[in-house]
């Protein structure tokens, strides 16, 4: 087997990974979340805030701290974890939607994968039947998936953090359902991401790495489910790789000189923070060379793919509204200011 | 020979057994062009179905009762793309099988409803490298066999063979739906996991029908 | 070569890893830090606070976010990064000590390694010669190193975060040099750590993993420099491993029923957050079974060893003073509340 | 024959060359029982020393001048344990060699001062598996040779052989100082990197002395 891959894990039974991990998470962060089991979901401590639009997200596990790490004040009201890399089921999602409803309706933030979209769709129907108004937004920031005519459409990846943070801030300051959906859609329209993998990851139940990569190969255009990327190239210096990631992002956004952006360098889980800052340094310098101002930054492991080594570069075009909402207070397990 | 609720129970249990036996194979297929969970998802779902069957107080009175239980259980335990797709397929199939016994035409109607459910949910056309590429030839073969007056077992056996061939034939297809579509050209050369599990489901139907038929 | 090891990195020239990474770090966190080059160190933005005791730490790089990620308000005033896994030199440390001096003297927080101790010793002499009063505390929380008669003494590992946070809070609320040293020593006396590695890490210039481990072996009692541990055992479930880590920690602290603690589960860099929560869950349950109350928690990658897979469990005995100082506001790149 | 500043320059450059050549070997030794940086540290330090030598405006007038430059440069570029230890060794050696020329006794005094610097800083006793275990036999051999009236070259050659043997003999020792001590029993069976680099330093002294002596 190739290097860069470990099949060893700090787990007990592969079947109970999600339940045990979420339980530990709930114990460690009892100041911001409470855990509901059977069905399993994570709720903001104290439950829905009366009169506030609720925000719910979810998806397969393995991307921690996404989504549970973003439940709390000023971001999500509930998160629904599926099995590792497997979208949760409607009977988990629907109760979370209902629990997050403070009477002003709920926005479901769904990453664009067939499974997530279908399961959230059904869940929304179930919740609506119980009297909870649900609106969904679909995050699809991954520019690696080029032509949506020939694919299931762009994937939702690291840009999800920006959607959750900004929509969460809008809801916290009292925006109504339409307004929260509108600002979420605005983020989605202005955020793009591209990722690289230096190694694969190992899904607990699979017991072997998600793809095979030799010592001098890397995958460009990966998603966050350990899937192979669009193409494989020879290993290259960080500066060159960063340019390969940033260029399609900037081009797709058609960023012009003078614009301001949020630059998010996201680790896939197994890459040292120090390397993320090397990528950040180069991405920032390339943006500045185009006259783009990096007015906000985030560097760290936010939307991961288990222990995969690699990173993604996300750019969000900012205006005053989005900047103010980004800066608004947030208090969750993984994001706080 | 017709097929009743007893058969539907046998079929379901044999499907669960097939998912256990082929769990690793389906994981491996999904690892190649997806995210490596399809075998685990189907295994988890059908294990839950068997648990539900074991706990049944009353024996089901129609084929549709069994299929509805399978539908709701898969829907709430499988997750991913396969959960809603199989869930809807079984739900639609259940609706047209709320009867004691299925003859050849009844089996055809059941398979047609299943395929319809998958297409309604997933909006895939044939040739997009999905489970639709197992179900479409299966339904066509079933229709042809029934037209020739085949027994339910013969209909299902024809459908199973066609589904297996359909699944194999996904190898040369370029994926344009589901997770494999992200790979673009790199999806070619690999068999679709959902089409493979679909063929297992239909083969289990045929095998148990043959047993009932004696 | 064994699995679990990648020699691929998101870097450019191995010799410039630290400089580029720190540069990126400085750009991303210009709200809390400023970077000094030649010699290289990280300073709290705006420099020393007049009248406040300065806090300086440092050591080899490769443990990010330690130490630079803890520079800011309520924690460190300066951090000095050496080459990867190599203590910085006196001519880097001395200017940082001097720059952190607001007139009330400086406390140097040194992890107990021969190199760090010797280089900080020389630096303190140089800084004293320039008129900066320097006191040093030596962090040595690693219970894996059993008998200091036959070793260079216990190593400083993840407990360092607690020392820096709590001493930083004391300095921020106006404690004088003696008082800051006293509270730092109190933390040191009451904090213990033990770690495990599931895989090794690769130092950029070395180009190969720091040790060899087969697929079914793990190292118990590791440090944070990719060094092998005290012994090697067969891979085991997370709950069993956690017990092996927690037991010597609790025994060494002689924790009694009714006591309160801070529980820190620290990732070594390449282990998913979800697994750290599984370890946390079990460590907490074992502590509670002994009647020990986990009144504060921290789970995440804080003192890492490049991309090593593994974790450490740290317990700090808390009293009211330490709890209040732990809870005090902090605003750094990696810790904020 | 005596050894002057020219020799000290040659010695230093040859040491730098040795650290370049043995960089990977020293990293590998340190990887086994330490943190894998010793070769890189020594390489970085002596590369900086050579850069400083190349930039010298005036040629140094004593051996001590050269050794002092080496000392301060190592101190500010090596880091880790080796930086302060070698730095202090060279600094002490410099203090006793502020002369034009060293005879056999002068060479002995230089080596003794170097060892003393290491011990003052690191507080290791012989047998703790550190660089002290190369320097201690080296000094002993140098003392013995000088007592027998050996030339500086002969003194250094004796010291180099003893240092090399001392470094080799660290293999069977249990480390109780430095990073290797954390390994406990597992440190046995590996040669100490710092003792090995020490032997390289002293061998370079002997080789360049032999060249000067013709
Ligand atoms: N739009 C679709 N229509 C029909 N089948 C689909 C569609 N999308 C995916 N599939 C099927 O689902 C299978 C993958 O299922 P699974 O791995 O369980 O879910 P996920 O892709 O969410 O991980 C694919 O192999 C394919 O056969
Ligand atoms: N207390 C000490 N006294 C003498 N030599 C020591 C001592 N501690 C460590 N050493 C030497 O330092 C060497 C390691 O140097 P190096 O790898 O550069 O530093 P570090 O251990 O900080 O990574 C060891 O091989 C040993 O010879
Ligand atoms: Mg999946
Ligand atoms: Mg899948
Ligand atoms: Mg070192
Ligand atoms: Mg070393």
């Amino acid at each position: 087997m190739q290097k860069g891959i470990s099949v060893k894990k700090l787990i007990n039974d592969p079947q109970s990974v999600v339940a045990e991990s979420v339980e530990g998470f709930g114990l460690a962060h009892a100041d911001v979340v409470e855990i509901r089991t059977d069905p399993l979901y994570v709720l903001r401590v104290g439950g829905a805030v009366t009169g506030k639009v609720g925000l719910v997200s979810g998806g397969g596990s393995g991307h921690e701290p996404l989504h549970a790490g973003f439940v709390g004040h000023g971001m999500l009201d509930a998160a629904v974890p599926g099995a590792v890399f497997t979208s949760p089921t409607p009977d988990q999602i629907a109760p979370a939607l209902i629990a997050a409803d403070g009477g002003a309706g709920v926005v479901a933030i769904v990453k664009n994968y067939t499974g997530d979209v279908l399961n959230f769709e059904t869940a929304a129907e179930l919740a609506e039947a119980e009297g909870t108004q649900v609106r969904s937004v679909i995050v699809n920031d991954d520019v690696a998936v080029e032509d949506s005519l020939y694919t299931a459409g762009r994937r939702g990846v690291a840009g999800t953090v920006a959607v959750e943070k900004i929509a969460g801030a809008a809801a916290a300051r009292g925006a109504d359902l339409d307004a929260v959906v509108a600002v979420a859609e605005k983020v989605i329209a202005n955020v793009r991401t591209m990722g690289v993998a230096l190694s694969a990851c190992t899904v607990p139940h699979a017991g072997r790495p998600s793809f095979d990569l030799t010592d001098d190969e890397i995958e460009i255009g990966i998603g966050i489910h350990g899937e192979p990327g669009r193409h494989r190239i020879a290993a290259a210096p960080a500066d060159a790789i960063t340019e390969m990631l940033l260029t399609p992002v900037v081009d797709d956004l058609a960023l012009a000189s003078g614009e301001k952006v949020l630059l998010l360098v996201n680790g896939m889980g197994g890459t040292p923070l120090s390397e993320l800052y090397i990528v950040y340094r180069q991405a920032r310098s390339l943006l500045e060379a185009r006259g783009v101002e990096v007015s906000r930054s985030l560097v760290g492991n936010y939307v991961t793919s288990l222990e995969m080594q690699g990173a993604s570069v996300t750019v969000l075009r900012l205006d005053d509204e989005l900047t103010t909402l980004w800066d608004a207070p947030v208090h969750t397990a993984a994001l706080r200011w | 020979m017709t097929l009743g609720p007893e058969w539907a129970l046998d079929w379901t249990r044999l499907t669960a057994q097939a998912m256990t036996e082929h769990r690793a194979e389906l994981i491996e297929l999904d690892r190649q062009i997806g995210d490596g969970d399809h075998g685990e998802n189907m295994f988890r779902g059908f294990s839950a179905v068997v648990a539900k069957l074991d706990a049944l107080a009353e024996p089901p009175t129609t084929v549709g009762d069994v299929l509805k239980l399978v539908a709701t259980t898969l829907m709430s335990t499988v997750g991913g793309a396969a959960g809603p797709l199989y869930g809807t397929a079984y739900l639609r199939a259940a609706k047209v099988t709320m009867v004691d016994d299925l003859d050849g035409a009844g089996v055809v109607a059941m398979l047609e409803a299943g395929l319809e459910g998958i297409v309604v949910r997933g909006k895939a056309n044939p040739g997009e490298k999905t489970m639709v590429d197992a179900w479409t030839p299966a339904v066509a073969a079933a229709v042809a066999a029934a037209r020739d007056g085949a027994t339910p077992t013969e209909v299902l056996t024809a459908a199973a063979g066609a589904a297996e061939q359909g699944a194999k034939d996904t190898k040369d297809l370029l994926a344009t739906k589901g997770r494999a579509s992200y790979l673009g050209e790199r999806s070619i050369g690999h068999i679709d996991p959902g089409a493979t599990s679909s063929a297992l489901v239909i083969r289990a139907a045929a095998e148990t029908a043959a047993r009932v038929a004696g």
Side-chain angles (χ1 to χ4, degrees), chain A residues 15 85-87 91 119 121-122 150 152 155 205 208-209 219 229-230, chain B residues 31 35-37 40-41 75-76 79-80 84 121 176 181-182 186:
Chain A
Q15 314 289 333
F85 292 171
T86 302
S87 136
D91 68 323
N119 285 289
E121 223 169 70
T122 309
Y150 300 106
R155 297 172 286 210
H205 62 248
R208 55 172 297 194
E219 288 271 342
R230 289 295 282 202
Chain B
R31 198 182 73 89
D35 57 353
D37 61 356
E40 188 68 17
N41 295 347
M75 203 89 94
S76 70
R121 274 268 82 145
T176 52
S181 69
Y182 305 135
R186 291 172 77 182

mmCIF file of all heavy atoms in Angstrom, chain A residues 15 85-87 91 119 121-122 150 152 155 205 208-209 219 229-230, chain B residues 31 35-37 40-41 75-76 79-80 84 121 176 181-182 186:
data_model
loop_
_atom_site.group_PDB
_atom_site.id
_atom_site.type_symbol
_atom_site.label_atom_id
_atom_site.label_comp_id
_atom_site.label_asym_id
_atom_site.label_seq_id
_atom_site.Cartn_x
_atom_site.Cartn_y
_atom_site.Cartn_z
ATOM 1 N N GLN A 15 -18.807 0.915 13.813
ATOM 2 C CA GLN A 15 -20.231 1.244 13.701
ATOM 3 C C GLN A 15 -20.658 2.326 14.692
ATOM 4 O O GLN A 15 -21.696 2.948 14.514
ATOM 5 C CB GLN A 15 -21.112 -0.003 13.947
ATOM 6 C CG GLN A 15 -20.674 -1.268 13.237
ATOM 7 C CD GLN A 15 -20.897 -1.225 11.740
ATOM 8 O OE1 GLN A 15 -21.784 -0.528 11.275
ATOM 9 N NE2 GLN A 15 -20.085 -1.939 10.977
ATOM 10 N N PHE A 85 -19.372 10.001 5.888
ATOM 11 C CA PHE A 85 -19.522 10.275 4.455
ATOM 12 C C PHE A 85 -20.877 9.855 3.902
ATOM 13 O O PHE A 85 -21.015 9.666 2.679
ATOM 14 C CB PHE A 85 -18.404 9.607 3.633
ATOM 15 C CG PHE A 85 -17.046 10.206 3.871
ATOM 16 C CD1 PHE A 85 -15.900 9.594 3.342
ATOM 17 C CD2 PHE A 85 -16.879 11.369 4.599
ATOM 18 C CE1 PHE A 85 -14.640 10.133 3.559
ATOM 19 C CE2 PHE A 85 -15.626 11.919 4.822
ATOM 20 C CZ PHE A 85 -14.494 11.287 4.287
ATOM 21 N N THR A 86 -21.873 9.721 4.759
ATOM 22 C CA THR A 86 -23.200 9.315 4.295
ATOM 23 C C THR A 86 -24.237 10.287 4.832
ATOM 24 O O THR A 86 -24.335 10.484 6.046
ATOM 25 C CB THR A 86 -23.534 7.894 4.799
ATOM 26 O OG1 THR A 86 -22.531 7.006 4.318
ATOM 27 C CG2 THR A 86 -24.892 7.442 4.291
ATOM 28 N N SER A 87 -24.983 10.882 3.934
ATOM 29 C CA SER A 87 -25.985 11.858 4.357
ATOM 30 C C SER A 87 -26.894 11.267 5.428
ATOM 31 O O SER A 87 -27.166 10.078 5.431
ATOM 32 C CB SER A 87 -26.794 12.273 3.127
ATOM 33 O OG SER A 87 -28.158 12.313 3.422
ATOM 34 N N ASP A 91 -35.602 10.899 8.843
ATOM 35 C CA ASP A 91 -36.171 10.801 10.190
ATOM 36 C C ASP A 91 -35.242 11.361 11.253
ATOM 37 O O ASP A 91 -35.638 11.534 12.402
ATOM 38 C CB ASP A 91 -36.576 9.366 10.516
ATOM 39 C CG ASP A 91 -35.391 8.471 10.632
ATOM 40 O OD1 ASP A 91 -34.423 8.663 9.858
ATOM 41 O OD2 ASP A 91 -35.383 7.578 11.493
ATOM 42 N N ASN A 119 -32.370 13.524 0.875
ATOM 43 C CA ASN A 119 -32.795 13.287 2.254
ATOM 44 C C ASN A 119 -33.343 14.560 2.911
ATOM 45 O O ASN A 119 -34.304 14.502 3.664
ATOM 46 C CB ASN A 119 -31.640 12.701 3.080
ATOM 47 C CG ASN A 119 -31.389 11.239 2.743
ATOM 48 O OD1 ASN A 119 -32.180 10.370 3.089
ATOM 49 N ND2 ASN A 119 -30.298 10.963 2.037
ATOM 50 N N GLU A 121 -34.751 16.981 1.268
ATOM 51 C CA GLU A 121 -36.018 17.224 0.576
ATOM 52 C C GLU A 121 -37.158 16.510 1.303
ATOM 53 O O GLU A 121 -38.180 17.107 1.650
ATOM 54 C CB GLU A 121 -35.887 16.644 -0.838
ATOM 55 C CG GLU A 121 -36.416 17.463 -1.975
ATOM 56 C CD GLU A 121 -35.945 16.830 -3.292
ATOM 57 O OE1 GLU A 121 -36.429 15.734 -3.659
ATOM 58 O OE2 GLU A 121 -35.053 17.424 -3.934
ATOM 59 N N THR A 122 -36.955 15.224 1.539
ATOM 60 C CA THR A 122 -37.977 14.425 2.225
ATOM 61 C C THR A 122 -38.217 14.948 3.638
ATOM 62 O O THR A 122 -39.355 15.058 4.095
ATOM 63 C CB THR A 122 -37.539 12.950 2.289
ATOM 64 O OG1 THR A 122 -37.166 12.535 0.979
ATOM 65 C CG2 THR A 122 -38.655 12.065 2.821
ATOM 66 N N TYR A 150 -23.062 17.892 -17.116
ATOM 67 C CA TYR A 150 -22.617 16.513 -17.175
ATOM 68 C C TYR A 150 -22.295 15.930 -15.809
ATOM 69 O O TYR A 150 -21.600 14.935 -15.681
ATOM 70 C CB TYR A 150 -21.400 16.391 -18.103
ATOM 71 C CG TYR A 150 -21.737 16.825 -19.486
ATOM 72 C CD1 TYR A 150 -21.287 18.039 -19.980
ATOM 73 C CD2 TYR A 150 -22.567 16.037 -20.282
ATOM 74 C CE1 TYR A 150 -21.635 18.466 -21.242
ATOM 75 C CE2 TYR A 150 -22.922 16.454 -21.556
ATOM 76 C CZ TYR A 150 -22.460 17.667 -22.030
ATOM 77 O OH TYR A 150 -22.818 18.080 -23.281
ATOM 78 N N ALA A 152 -23.655 15.884 -11.328
ATOM 79 C CA ALA A 152 -24.732 16.169 -10.382
ATOM 80 C C ALA A 152 -24.633 17.624 -9.922
ATOM 81 O O ALA A 152 -25.304 18.026 -8.982
ATOM 82 C CB ALA A 152 -24.629 15.222 -9.204
ATOM 83 N N ARG A 155 -20.165 20.544 -6.131
ATOM 84 C CA ARG A 155 -20.302 20.054 -4.760
ATOM 85 C C ARG A 155 -20.271 21.210 -3.766
ATOM 86 O O ARG A 155 -19.673 22.250 -4.027
ATOM 87 C CB ARG A 155 -19.115 19.131 -4.420
ATOM 88 C CG ARG A 155 -19.054 17.894 -5.257
ATOM 89 C CD ARG A 155 -17.769 17.131 -5.006
ATOM 90 N NE ARG A 155 -16.627 17.783 -5.618
ATOM 91 C CZ ARG A 155 -15.542 17.141 -6.066
ATOM 92 N NH1 ARG A 155 -15.470 15.830 -5.943
ATOM 93 N NH2 ARG A 155 -14.550 17.794 -6.603
ATOM 94 N N HIS A 205 -15.315 1.981 8.394
ATOM 95 C CA HIS A 205 -15.829 0.660 8.047
ATOM 96 C C HIS A 205 -15.145 0.080 6.823
ATOM 97 O O HIS A 205 -15.217 -1.120 6.582
ATOM 98 C CB HIS A 205 -17.350 0.696 7.830
ATOM 99 C CG HIS A 205 -17.764 1.584 6.700
ATOM 100 N ND1 HIS A 205 -18.469 2.752 6.900
ATOM 101 C CD2 HIS A 205 -17.540 1.505 5.377
ATOM 102 C CE1 HIS A 205 -18.675 3.333 5.732
ATOM 103 N NE2 HIS A 205 -18.111 2.606 4.802
ATOM 104 N N ARG A 208 -9.705 0.524 4.407
ATOM 105 C CA ARG A 208 -8.596 0.804 3.505
ATOM 106 C C ARG A 208 -8.800 2.164 2.858
ATOM 107 O O ARG A 208 -9.906 2.677 2.791
ATOM 108 C CB ARG A 208 -8.400 -0.309 2.461
ATOM 109 C CG ARG A 208 -9.614 -0.645 1.634
ATOM 110 C CD ARG A 208 -9.257 -1.603 0.516
ATOM 111 N NE ARG A 208 -8.305 -0.976 -0.387
ATOM 112 C CZ ARG A 208 -8.007 -1.451 -1.598
ATOM 113 N NH1 ARG A 208 -8.533 -2.583 -1.999
ATOM 114 N NH2 ARG A 208 -7.168 -0.825 -2.382
ATOM 115 N N PRO A 209 -7.701 2.745 2.386
ATOM 116 C CA PRO A 209 -7.761 4.131 1.926
ATOM 117 C C PRO A 209 -8.723 4.331 0.758
ATOM 118 O O PRO A 209 -8.980 3.410 -0.016
ATOM 119 C CB PRO A 209 -6.333 4.432 1.486
ATOM 120 C CG PRO A 209 -5.505 3.271 1.820
ATOM 121 C CD PRO A 209 -6.348 2.185 2.342
ATOM 122 N N GLU A 219 -3.582 14.757 -5.981
ATOM 123 C CA GLU A 219 -4.877 14.815 -6.671
ATOM 124 C C GLU A 219 -5.381 16.248 -6.649
ATOM 125 O O GLU A 219 -5.563 16.825 -5.572
ATOM 126 C CB GLU A 219 -5.897 13.925 -5.958
ATOM 127 C CG GLU A 219 -5.681 12.441 -6.121
ATOM 128 C CD GLU A 219 -6.381 11.870 -7.357
ATOM 129 O OE1 GLU A 219 -7.293 12.530 -7.902
ATOM 130 O OE2 GLU A 219 -5.983 10.770 -7.770
ATOM 131 N N GLY A 229 -9.744 13.141 -7.290
ATOM 132 C CA GLY A 229 -10.032 14.449 -7.863
ATOM 133 C C GLY A 229 -10.257 14.391 -9.360
ATOM 134 O O GLY A 229 -10.475 13.325 -9.935
ATOM 135 N N ARG A 230 -10.219 15.554 -9.985
ATOM 136 C CA ARG A 230 -10.419 15.604 -11.433
ATOM 137 C C ARG A 230 -9.206 15.079 -12.174
ATOM 138 O O ARG A 230 -9.316 14.446 -13.190
ATOM 139 C CB ARG A 230 -10.695 17.044 -11.880
ATOM 140 C CG ARG A 230 -12.038 17.551 -11.469
ATOM 141 C CD ARG A 230 -13.184 16.819 -12.123
ATOM 142 N NE ARG A 230 -13.418 17.243 -13.498
ATOM 143 C CZ ARG A 230 -14.560 17.081 -14.140
ATOM 144 N NH1 ARG A 230 -15.581 16.489 -13.547
ATOM 145 N NH2 ARG A 230 -14.701 17.491 -15.371
ATOM 146 N N ARG B 31 -15.650 2.768 -3.586
ATOM 147 C CA ARG B 31 -14.355 3.390 -3.311
ATOM 148 C C ARG B 31 -13.713 3.859 -4.614
ATOM 149 O O ARG B 31 -13.079 4.923 -4.670
ATOM 150 C CB ARG B 31 -13.439 2.374 -2.616
ATOM 151 C CG ARG B 31 -12.236 2.958 -1.882
ATOM 152 C CD ARG B 31 -11.385 1.857 -1.271
ATOM 153 N NE ARG B 31 -10.628 1.131 -2.268
ATOM 154 C CZ ARG B 31 -9.405 1.465 -2.690
ATOM 155 N NH1 ARG B 31 -8.808 2.524 -2.201
ATOM 156 N NH2 ARG B 31 -8.792 0.762 -3.618
ATOM 157 N N ASP B 35 -17.573 7.296 -2.717
ATOM 158 C CA ASP B 35 -17.000 7.591 -1.409
ATOM 159 C C ASP B 35 -16.903 6.362 -0.514
ATOM 160 O O ASP B 35 -16.715 6.485 0.699
ATOM 161 C CB ASP B 35 -17.779 8.712 -0.715
ATOM 162 C CG ASP B 35 -19.256 8.363 -0.561
ATOM 163 O OD1 ASP B 35 -19.679 7.325 -1.098
ATOM 164 O OD2 ASP B 35 -19.970 9.127 0.093
ATOM 165 N N GLY B 36 -17.059 5.185 -1.119
ATOM 166 C CA GLY B 36 -16.738 3.955 -0.387
ATOM 167 C C GLY B 36 -17.725 3.531 0.679
ATOM 168 O O GLY B 36 -17.366 2.771 1.569
ATOM 169 N N ASP B 37 -18.962 4.015 0.583
ATOM 170 C CA ASP B 37 -19.896 3.640 1.650
ATOM 171 C C ASP B 37 -21.079 2.810 1.181
ATOM 172 O O ASP B 37 -21.879 2.369 2.014
ATOM 173 C CB ASP B 37 -20.395 4.882 2.405
ATOM 174 C CG ASP B 37 -21.144 5.850 1.491
ATOM 175 O OD1 ASP B 37 -21.210 5.597 0.282
ATOM 176 O OD2 ASP B 37 -21.641 6.867 2.010
ATOM 177 N N GLU B 40 -21.652 -0.496 2.923
ATOM 178 C CA GLU B 40 -21.989 -0.275 4.334
ATOM 179 C C GLU B 40 -23.424 0.239 4.468
ATOM 180 O O GLU B 40 -24.169 -0.198 5.350
ATOM 181 C CB GLU B 40 -21.009 0.749 4.921
ATOM 182 C CG GLU B 40 -21.118 0.926 6.410
ATOM 183 C CD GLU B 40 -20.677 -0.297 7.205
ATOM 184 O OE1 GLU B 40 -19.987 -1.171 6.624
ATOM 185 O OE2 GLU B 40 -21.041 -0.384 8.386
ATOM 186 N N ASN B 41 -23.810 1.138 3.566
ATOM 187 C CA ASN B 41 -25.159 1.696 3.619
ATOM 188 C C ASN B 41 -26.225 0.620 3.419
ATOM 189 O O ASN B 41 -27.211 0.549 4.152
ATOM 190 C CB ASN B 41 -25.332 2.773 2.537
ATOM 191 C CG ASN B 41 -24.443 3.982 2.780
ATOM 192 O OD1 ASN B 41 -23.875 4.138 3.864
ATOM 193 N ND2 ASN B 41 -24.292 4.836 1.775
ATOM 194 N N MET B 75 -35.416 4.010 4.060
ATOM 195 C CA MET B 75 -35.467 5.473 4.069
ATOM 196 C C MET B 75 -34.856 6.025 5.353
ATOM 197 O O MET B 75 -34.183 7.043 5.327
ATOM 198 C CB MET B 75 -36.942 5.896 3.983
ATOM 199 C CG MET B 75 -37.185 7.261 3.454
ATOM 200 S SD MET B 75 -37.347 7.251 1.657
ATOM 201 C CE MET B 75 -39.127 7.137 1.457
ATOM 202 N N SER B 76 -35.087 5.362 6.477
ATOM 203 C CA SER B 76 -34.651 5.935 7.752
ATOM 204 C C SER B 76 -33.327 5.367 8.255
ATOM 205 O O SER B 76 -32.857 5.757 9.316
ATOM 206 C CB SER B 76 -35.733 5.753 8.824
ATOM 207 O OG SER B 76 -35.822 4.394 9.176
ATOM 208 N N GLY B 79 -29.578 6.383 4.409
ATOM 209 C CA GLY B 79 -28.953 7.682 4.153
ATOM 210 C C GLY B 79 -28.317 7.717 2.778
ATOM 211 O O GLY B 79 -28.571 6.844 1.930
ATOM 212 N N GLY B 80 -27.486 8.727 2.541
ATOM 213 C CA GLY B 80 -26.818 8.857 1.255
ATOM 214 C C GLY B 80 -27.808 8.949 0.111
ATOM 215 O O GLY B 80 -28.994 9.222 0.316
ATOM 216 N N PRO B 84 -32.846 7.310 -0.112
ATOM 217 C CA PRO B 84 -34.078 7.827 -0.721
ATOM 218 C C PRO B 84 -34.434 7.119 -2.033
ATOM 219 O O PRO B 84 -35.613 6.940 -2.322
ATOM 220 C CB PRO B 84 -33.750 9.296 -0.992
ATOM 221 C CG PRO B 84 -32.575 9.609 -0.125
ATOM 222 C CD PRO B 84 -31.839 8.338 0.089
ATOM 223 N N ARG B 121 -37.309 10.220 -8.210
ATOM 224 C CA ARG B 121 -36.444 10.802 -7.186
ATOM 225 C C ARG B 121 -35.141 11.342 -7.752
ATOM 226 O O ARG B 121 -34.730 12.451 -7.491
ATOM 227 C CB ARG B 121 -36.037 9.740 -6.149
ATOM 228 C CG ARG B 121 -36.950 9.500 -5.017
ATOM 229 C CD ARG B 121 -36.706 10.288 -3.798
ATOM 230 N NE ARG B 121 -37.210 11.618 -3.717
ATOM 231 C CZ ARG B 121 -37.652 12.155 -2.595
ATOM 232 N NH1 ARG B 121 -37.709 11.428 -1.495
ATOM 233 N NH2 ARG B 121 -38.017 13.413 -2.555
ATOM 234 N N THR B 176 -22.721 10.713 -15.297
ATOM 235 C CA THR B 176 -23.170 12.115 -15.346
ATOM 236 C C THR B 176 -24.197 12.398 -14.249
ATOM 237 O O THR B 176 -24.728 13.492 -14.174
ATOM 238 C CB THR B 176 -23.758 12.471 -16.728
ATOM 239 O OG1 THR B 176 -24.748 11.491 -17.065
ATOM 240 C CG2 THR B 176 -22.684 12.461 -17.802
ATOM 241 N N SER B 181 -20.026 11.194 -11.071
ATOM 242 C CA SER B 181 -19.950 12.201 -12.127
ATOM 243 C C SER B 181 -18.829 13.200 -11.881
ATOM 244 O O SER B 181 -18.305 13.803 -12.812
ATOM 245 C CB SER B 181 -21.294 12.935 -12.252
ATOM 246 O OG SER B 181 -21.535 13.751 -11.117
ATOM 247 N N TYR B 182 -18.431 13.378 -10.615
ATOM 248 C CA TYR B 182 -17.361 14.332 -10.311
ATOM 249 C C TYR B 182 -16.039 13.901 -10.922
ATOM 250 O O TYR B 182 -15.130 14.700 -11.089
ATOM 251 C CB TYR B 182 -17.178 14.483 -8.792
ATOM 252 C CG TYR B 182 -18.443 14.876 -8.063
ATOM 253 C CD1 TYR B 182 -18.807 14.233 -6.890
ATOM 254 C CD2 TYR B 182 -19.272 15.881 -8.550
ATOM 255 C CE1 TYR B 182 -19.959 14.584 -6.209
ATOM 256 C CE2 TYR B 182 -20.433 16.231 -7.882
ATOM 257 C CZ TYR B 182 -20.779 15.579 -6.710
ATOM 258 O OH TYR B 182 -21.922 15.924 -6.053
ATOM 259 N N ARG B 186 -12.648 9.908 -15.725
ATOM 260 C CA ARG B 186 -12.048 8.881 -14.866
ATOM 261 C C ARG B 186 -13.078 7.906 -14.320
ATOM 262 O O ARG B 186 -12.710 6.900 -13.716
ATOM 263 C CB ARG B 186 -11.288 9.537 -13.710
ATOM 264 C CG ARG B 186 -10.038 10.259 -14.165
ATOM 265 C CD ARG B 186 -9.417 11.051 -13.037
ATOM 266 N NE ARG B 186 -8.690 10.205 -12.100
ATOM 267 C CZ ARG B 186 -8.088 10.678 -11.008
ATOM 268 N NH1 ARG B 186 -8.147 11.967 -10.733
ATOM 269 N NH2 ARG B 186 -7.442 9.869 -10.205
#
